[in-house]
Amino acid sequence: MWICDNLSISKEGRLTFAGRDAVSLAEKYGTPLMLLDEGRIRRRCREYKKAMEESFGGGSMPLYASKALCFKEIYRIMRDENMGIDVVSPGELYTAKEAGFPLENAYFHGNCKTDEDIRLGVSEKIGCFICDNIEEITALNEEAGRQGRKQKVLLRLTPGIDPHTHAAISTGKVDSKFGVAIETGQAKDFVKLALSLPNIRLAGFHCHIGSQIFEYKPFVDAAEIMFKFIAEMKTEFGYETEELNLGGGMGVRYVESQPTIDYSANIAGIGKTLSEMSGRLGVKMPKILMEPGRSIVADSGMTLYGVGGVKRIPGFKNYVSIDGGMTDNPRYALYQSEYTVLLANRPTEKADGEYTVAGRCCESGDLIQENVPLPSPKRGDILAVLTTGAYNYSMASHYNRIPKPPIVLLSEDGGEKLAVRRETFEDMARNEL
Ligand code: LLP
């Protein structure tokens, strides 16, 4: 019945999440409230690690793409689980450092790293820069020289793959703003340059084809193109690739109509293709890295809202208004993303109609989901939106001066921890003179 196995019904008939009564948590911490199933996040990290080691060989490992959900405690969880991380900004780098994450296991992404970002990354001894373009690698070479370091680097390349996902989250096509294209021959020049720079140690290549991808084939197709490129670089420059980073992007089940993904099986499939290619093309199998973000945290998250009002417009539409919305979850407004919605205090009652879930912003597009079946919602109900762990809190805004919700971690041993406090109005106005 449930889209995720950490959901159930208590004997009082209320929704439970990670074994806890969701309504009691909403009463205790207030709404909107983000809950995170910490045990599930940890298990998913272990699943990726184990599958990658088994399928790709030793040294291969997952890097958590922390843009999906960034706050100090998540970096501590990643440190405990011996995961690497990918950071895309100095702000993520700072948060990881403050949390005590070992930065030698961090990979620094971004298509517009400033001189200051580069200086910071080198001085913090970040493990690896993923260079997006020629200007960046040239500036990095100079900065590394000034700081007397030889910086490990991967080059971000675009393999020219269309992964059939939403256009805004598809990134591996030739005309992408990220990376350098293989198809145009520019990637080869990028490698030639990287190999000539004295303060750069080229460790290998990176690609990321997109996000929320259910099919398994686009990853194999991308790996195949990258492997051919690796073979070509060996012939051309005698260059042996140490690391190949295949990016993130594996999908997550948000609604019943979507499939459940077996991440280990997908990884095993990619591993099989890679070792077959390595033999066929005569190249040594590099260490394989992946950058899962969504698939590490999405289905470990749930957001609870208080219902403020219900509006029925006869012959048109019903609205249920909630005390959050696009400020804590902009994904429907941006991508028409699907979500499963239910009432946490009456999850098993039969729906009496379809309702559009509207946020509290002064904006008609502030919707969380349209036309979802609900059992006669009313003011005071607690509405649960499932699978909100990824790209919700990290994409939250202060539009209409609405504070960001708190995050409560629910651990496997029954413990519960307030990991992020609810923002105050004062917090939001802090920098204003
Ligand atoms: N690596 C790179 C270089 C990326 O750009 C991304 C995501 C990832 C890894 C992680 O991908 P994941 O495993 O999470 O699919 N805001 C959008 C998603 C944007 C994804 C951006 N890059 C959303 O809410 O759907």
Side-chain angles (χ1 to χ4, degrees), residues 87-141:
V87 296
V88 290
S89 69
E92 288 184 356
L93 195 160
Y94 165 86
T95 313
K97 183 186 171 194
E98 288 294 299
F101 187 88
L103 293 181
E104 69 264 24
N105 296 331
Y107 283 64
F108 196 3
H109 261 292
N111 63 316
C112 187
K113 299 184 188 82
T114 65
D115 289 347
E116 211 174 309
D117 299 347
I118 291 174
R119 224 171 5 253
L120 179 75
V122 177
S123 65
E124 291 297 346
K125 303 190 171 50
I126 200 155
C128 186
F129 273 71
I130 302 192
C131 285
D132 178 87
N133 56 67
I134 284 178
E135 285 85 353
E136 179 193 332
I137 201 167
T138 309
L140 176 61
N141 176 57

Side-chain angles (χ1 to χ4, degrees), residues 65 67 86 109 156 169 206 208 210-212 247-250 291-294 331 335 391 395:
K67 75 204 78 181
D86 121 23
H109 261 292
R156 180 159 183 173
I169 54 177
H206 168 280
H208 170 76
S211 193
Q212 185 59 352
M250 285 204 214
E291 298 171 332
R294 188 191 307 274
R331 297 191 68 254
Y335 324 112
Y391 305 111
M395 291 176 76

